[in-house]
């Protein structure tokens, strides 16, 4: 690839980004793209691809790591992406080796394309191919070898595409199917997406400095209550390194500065929130007191959203406007009532109203209004039996856990042994030797560094050096976009395939030689009739957790378990189980370790 061709692709990317944002093609608007994380992520990819094509691999690796650390975007320089490439938001986007993307394609946040083949397997062309003018929705996965998506397709949120699709279709579901032809007139296109201009109701969101501090105090108190902490000075000190708390504090000051008229400063704070904590909340979003982020990991709240009091948002939650059939981007907005709990990976898009005291399950896609006291789950979301008031209160405020998976002191020698086992397993998977040169290569390998950081974090936590352990957790979140609690037990050979959106909560036990792919979540609760004092999540040896998969609640999974893409596991499973769906169901119980090894 020549430098002239690279410049042409960059110009086409910027021109389409300006058109999709409805900005005039002026020099000042092009300069403003510097503060656009999505535009900068595409620019860095173009430069990395140029260096790779000219065999300058060191600079390629530096730029690829920079894209992961700053913008939470992992696009392989071996991917073939034509001009007019746009990222809806620079959060959790992954494009694997030798994927092929046509002209004028848009990838929304938390989406991924392609899959890596085992070393030495015949590649024979692109692994996944997207033709021109395709929109890949938030959280969608296009996985498998030699998959071709026809021109003009629209992949829905959280869809899992495992086969080729004809042109001009709307693709939805897990696994995804073509449900209807795409109608560009009756449905809102991503290219004509316009955020609603703030109107008179923006006045209710104007707040002073004293009100800002009052909201921050209520937010921290709500976070402490959800985590079962006793309010006080020590709690504030313990939460000082919590990225979820810091992200909410930054938003509060961002909103105050925006309505004070200091909009450039507010933009800088928004940029800081996106780069450091992968949390993107619009400055004009009206959010009541007591906002709790379970983890600062890939949360997106549109600038026109209205959120009530004491709401809880889990990792990778999206509140956005469109594209959706029959929507009006000039007037539509998402409105959440009070005491709403939104599970991991849920998407709420369009002119949607969520009533008070509602619970949205993990990976739920909401496409219509939800009445008060409702429980929603599924893709697309469907109402379930209403929980009792006590069950809903327990979901929102589980209280302190007794810790059946207590932290245990791990000595330094044991920590080094586990790190060596982790690196040895990674080298074995990649078909390489774990020699001194391989250890040096880990300095430019975010997933490997994230695991080493976690091991040291657990060691410091066992020594009761909580501030230092919290600081390492903060570093893992900011630099590698990995949030793992030190109150866990992981066996040796632990591998993160990609350091992108991994969340693992308290009271989780993982066996040896387990592999977690991007955007996977392991956490206890909330589930109906779950007990916060006894909840724990146990995963056996040799497990493989697919991209976007979620394991929620007090469950025990056996050895050699495989969890499919975007699946939500809420029940126990035996050895050698293959789990797929929302909620996940047992689709196979194979004992052929060779096939499982190929999958890994």
């Amino acid at each position: 690839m020549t430098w002239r061709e690279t410049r042409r692709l960059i110009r086409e990317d910027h021109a389409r980004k300006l058109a999709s944002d409805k900005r005039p093609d002026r020099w000042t608007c092009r300069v403003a793209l510097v503060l656009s994380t999505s535009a900068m992520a595409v620019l860095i990819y173009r430069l990395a691809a140029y260096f790779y094509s000219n065999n300058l691999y060191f600079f390629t690796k530096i730029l690829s790591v920079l894209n992961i650390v700053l913008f939470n975007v992992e696009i392989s320089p071996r991917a073939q992406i034509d001009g007019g490439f746009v990222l809806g938001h620079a959060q959790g986007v992954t494009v694997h080796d030798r994927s092929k993307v046509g002209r004028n394609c848009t990838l929304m946040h938390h989406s991924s394309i392609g899959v890596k083949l085992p070393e030495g397997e015949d590649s024979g062309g692109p692994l996944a191919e997207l033709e021109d003018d395709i929109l890949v929705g938030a959280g969608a996965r296009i996985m498998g070898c030699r998959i071709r998506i026809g021109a003009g397709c629209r992949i829905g949120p959280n869809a899992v595409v495992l086969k080729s699709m004809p042109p001009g279709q709307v693709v939805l579901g897990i696994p995804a199917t073509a449900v209807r032809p795409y109608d560009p007139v009756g449905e809102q296109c991503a290219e004509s997406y316009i955020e609603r201009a703030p109107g008179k109701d923006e006045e209710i969101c104007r707040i002073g400095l004293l009100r800002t501090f009052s909201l921050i105090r209520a937010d921290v108190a709500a976070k402490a209550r959800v985590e079962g902490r006793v309010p006080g000075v020590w709690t504030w000190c313990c939460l000082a390194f919590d990225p979820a708390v810091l992200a909410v504090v930054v938003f509060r000051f961002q909103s105050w500065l925006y309505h004070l008229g200091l909009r450039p400063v507010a933009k800088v704070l928004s940029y800081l929130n996106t780069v450091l904590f992968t949390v993107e909340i619009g400055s004009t979003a009206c959010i009541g007191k007591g906002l709790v982020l379970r983890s600062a990991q890939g949360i997106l709240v549109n600038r026109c959203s209205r959120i009530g009091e004491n709401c809880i948002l889990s990792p990778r939650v999206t509140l956005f406007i469109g594209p959706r059939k029959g929507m009006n981007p000039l007037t539509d907005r998402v409105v959440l009532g009070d005491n709403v709990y939104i599970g991991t990976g849920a998407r709420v898009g369009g002119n949607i109203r969520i009533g008070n005291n509602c619970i949205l399950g993990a990976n739920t896609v909401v496409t219509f209004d939800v009445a008060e006291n409702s429980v929603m789950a599924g893709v697309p979301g469907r109402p379930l039996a209403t929980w009792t008031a006590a069950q809903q209160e327990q979901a929102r405020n589980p209280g302190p856990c007794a810790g059946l998976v207590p932290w245990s002191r791990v000595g330094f020698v044991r920590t080094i042994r586990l790190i060596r086992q982790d690196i040895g397993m990674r080298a074995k998977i990649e078909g390489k030797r774990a020699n001194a040169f391989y250890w040096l290569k880990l300095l430019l390998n975010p997933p490997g560094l994230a695991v080493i950081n976690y091991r040291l974090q657990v060691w410091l936590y066992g020594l009761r050096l909580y501030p230092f352990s919290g600081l390492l957790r903060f570093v893992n979140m900011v630099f590698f976009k990995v949030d793992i609690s030190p109150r866990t037990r992981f066996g040796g050979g632990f591998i993160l395939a990609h350091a992108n959106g991994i969340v693992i909560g308290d009271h989780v036990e993982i066996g040896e030689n387990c592999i977690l792919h991007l955007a996977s979540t392991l956490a206890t609760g909330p589930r109906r009739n779950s007990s916060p004092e006894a909840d724990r999540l146990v995963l056996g040896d040799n497990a493989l957790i697919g991209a976007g998969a979620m394991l929620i609640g007090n469950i025990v999974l056996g050895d050699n378990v495989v969890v499919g893409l975007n699946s939500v596991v809420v029940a126990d499973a035996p050895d050698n189980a293959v789990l797929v769906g929302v909620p996940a169901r047992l689709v196979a119980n194979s004992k052929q370790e060779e096939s499982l090894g190929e999958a890994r």
Side-chain angles (χ1 to χ4, degrees), residues 127-211:
L127 303 183
E129 182 174 358
L130 276 66
E131 296 182 354
D132 300 340
D133 191 29
I134 292 175
L135 169 67
V136 181
R141 317 285 177 195
I142 301 176
M143 290 291 178
C145 300
R146 298 145 182 78
I147 289 181
R148 188 182 185 92
I149 308 298
C153 282
R154 296 298 184 265
I155 312 297
N158 288 355
V160 177
V161 183
L162 301 175
K163 61 181 180 180
S164 298
M165 295 292 168
Q169 298 294 314
V170 175
V171 181
L172 302 172
I174 302 177
T177 57
V179 295
R180 63 177 183 273
Y182 174 69
D183 179 13
V185 177
E187 303 188 47
Q188 178 67 22
C189 299
E191 291 75 14
S192 60
Y193 165 61
I194 307 174
E195 290 187 340
R196 171 186 169 278
K200 294 181 179 179
D201 56 350
E202 184 183 336
E203 298 292 333
I204 63 175
C205 297
R206 295 183 182 274
I207 55 176
L209 183 59
L210 293 179
R211 175 62 175 167

Side-chain angles (χ1 to χ4, degrees), residues 279-336:
V279 172
E280 189 171 348
I281 306 178
S283 299
T284 57
C286 186
I287 301 179
K289 65 180 181 180
L291 175 66
V292 174
L293 306 183
R294 296 301 302 268
S295 174
Q297 188 66 266
I299 293 176
L300 173 64
V301 178
N302 186 268
R303 65 193 295 263
C304 306
S305 302
R306 298 293 182 265
I307 300 178
E309 297 181 357
N310 301 319
C311 291
I312 301 175
L313 306 183
S314 300
R316 294 186 295 282
V317 163
T318 303
L319 308 180
F320 67 108
I321 301 178
R324 194 166 69 91
K325 186 174 182 179
M327 64 167 288
N328 184 354
L330 298 178
T331 59
D332 286 358
R333 59 184 176 183
V334 176
V335 178
L336 270 63

Side-chain angles (χ1 to χ4, degrees), residues 412-425 439 442 448 451-453 455-456 492-493:
F412 186 73
V413 175
R414 171 64 176 167
T415 300
I416 296 299
R417 187 181 299 115
L418 289 172
I419 291 175
R420 293 183 59 185
Q421 194 172 348
D422 298 333
I423 296 175
M425 183 64 181
W439 278 68
L442 285 180
V451 173
I452 295 175
N453 187 302
R455 295 295 188 189
L456 296 177

Side-chain angles (χ1 to χ4, degrees), residues 336-482:
L336 270 63
D338 299 336
N339 302 311
V340 175
Y341 186 105
I342 303 184
T344 305
R347 320 285 177 188
V348 182
N351 188 19
I352 301 293
R353 265 66 176 172
I354 307 295
N356 298 331
N357 306 315
C358 287
I359 296 178
L360 307 184
N363 260 9
T364 301
V365 177
V366 180
T367 57
F368 53 86
D369 292 350
V370 180
E372 294 186 358
N373 304 305
S374 297
V375 179
M376 300 285 292
V379 182
R382 60 188 185 279
L384 304 178
T386 304
W387 290 14
T388 64
Q391 290 172 333
Q392 294 202 34
E393 178 63 22
Q394 177 184 299
R396 296 184 183 90
N397 302 300
C401 295
L404 289 187
V405 187
W407 62 267
S408 56
R409 183 170 180 174
V410 180
F412 186 73
V413 175
R414 171 64 176 167
T415 300
I416 296 299
R417 187 181 299 115
L418 289 172
I419 291 175
R420 293 183 59 185
Q421 194 172 348
D422 298 333
I423 296 175
M425 183 64 181
R426 176 175 288 277
K428 181 180 179 181
I429 292 294
E430 296 179 356
K432 300 178 180 179
R433 296 179 59 186
N435 51 22
F437 180 73
Y438 189 83
W439 278 68
L440 290 176
K441 286 182 61 178
L442 285 180
L443 296 177
L444 293 176
N445 187 296
L449 287 177
V451 173
I452 295 175
N453 187 302
Y454 159 74
R455 295 295 188 189
L456 296 177
Q457 173 188 332
V458 173
W459 170 60
L460 292 173
Y461 193 90
L463 295 176
R464 300 182 184 270
L465 299 176
Y466 303 135
F468 297 101
S469 179
L471 181 60
L472 286 183
R473 185 175 183 180
F474 179 85
V475 169
N476 237 3
M477 177 64 215
V478 170
F479 287 97
F480 307 122
K481 307 305 181 282
V482 172

